[in-house]
Amino acid sequence: MPSPNTAQTEPETSEVERDALPPPGPRPVLPQRAIAKAETFKPGDHVVYPTHGVGKVERIAAEEIAGQKLELIHITFDENRMTLRVPVNKARTAGLRKLSSRKQFDEVLAALKGRARVKRTMWSRRAQEYEAKINSGDPMAIAEVVRDLHRNAGQPDQSFSERQIFEQALDRLAAEYGALEGLDKQGAIDKLLDFLKAE
């Protein structure tokens, strides 16, 4: 049996299975809302895993790993052909959650229209903060990154790294918005960009 830390690659499907153990290095601070209550997941649910974004629960099954019997939630992420296995008893602390409600996402969309708040600190420091917000899985924090890095016509162009972080945040936000509204990724991105441009 593989240990929980090992990634298994299946060449015929190029799918990766990973167990949800904390990655090395500092963990992002999870928003309180994400770990406020335990949620029950079932196959077919769209869920958000903080560092990977939106996935779908394929099944929940008991498996033996390193001599321990664990009940695991199998989550697939179609975009990068990956399957994540999260122990049911660790789902809450790992930040796994169901999609935001429409009411919660209305607040997120309202935040996109707000005034950008850019700190006057070095870019490397801000970039780290933006990455932590994206990896928190909190749509409000991700929306703040999108809002703060968005450039309208007539504004200075973004640097390459700013553009990369902006697109990463927009992509992550669009995945949840699209799953909530039944839109494909590009349709969700287009709608979010419309919100950003709205006066």
Side-chain angles (χ1 to χ4, degrees):
M1 278 292 169
S3 76
N5 286 327
T6 57
Q8 306 158 337
T9 306
E10 298 170 8
E12 66 276 4
T13 60
S14 74
E15 190 169 285
V16 177
E17 281 226 1
R18 293 186 187 160
D19 294 317
L21 293 176
R27 290 188 61 172
V29 177
L30 294 175
Q32 286 306 305
R33 190 170 58 77
I35 58 171
K37 61 181 176 58
E39 292 182 299
T40 307
F41 304 100
K42 61 184 189 299
D45 283 349
H46 279 95
V47 294
V48 178
Y49 188 78
T51 50
H52 295 301
V54 175
K56 191 174 183 181
V57 176
E58 286 299 316
R59 63 193 169 98
I60 299 170
E63 292 179 34
E64 193 172 308
I65 294 180
Q68 282 190 310
K69 198 151 195 169
L70 295 172
E71 197 172 6
L72 301 172
I73 304 167
H74 289 243
I75 306 157
T76 56
F77 299 86
D78 287 339
E79 207 164 300
N80 50 14
R81 295 176 64 83
M82 185 182 81
T83 297
L84 194 71
R85 298 180 300 171
V86 182
V88 169
N89 62 353
K90 298 268 192 256
R92 190 168 74 104
T93 51
L96 185 69
R97 64 174 174 84
K98 292 185 178 177
L99 296 178
S100 300
S101 68
R102 278 189 166 77
K103 183 174 182 292
Q104 287 167 333
F105 225 89
D106 284 345
E107 294 170 15
V108 169
L109 296 175
L112 285 179
K113 293 183 181 183
R115 182 182 291 275
R117 295 181 193 144
V118 180
K119 293 180 184 172
R120 295 187 182 280
T121 54
M122 286 177 64
W123 166 246
S124 59
R125 180 74 179 269
R126 280 189 291 135
Q128 282 182 328
E129 288 176 12
Y130 290 146
E131 292 278 4
K133 282 185 171 187
I134 293 168
N135 288 329
S136 74
D138 178 11
M140 185 63 82
I142 298 169
E144 288 168 3
V145 176
V146 172
R147 178 198 69 203
D148 293 351
L149 290 179
H150 178 250
R151 295 285 185 272
N152 283 313
Q155 288 184 296
D157 287 339
Q158 292 167 315
S159 69
F160 177 72
S161 55
E162 279 181 315
R163 182 82 197 161
Q164 272 192 316
I165 292 175
F166 170 77
E167 287 176 356
Q168 184 186 355
L170 182 62
D171 188 77
R172 189 68 63 86
L173 199 61
E176 184 164 2
Y177 185 53
L180 196 61
E181 296 292 340
L183 300 167
D184 64 17
K185 177 73 76 66
Q186 191 55 52
I189 286 173
D190 292 343
K191 279 204 156 193
L192 290 174
L193 289 173
D194 287 344
F195 273 104
L196 280 167
K197 292 169 188 165
E199 290 300 323

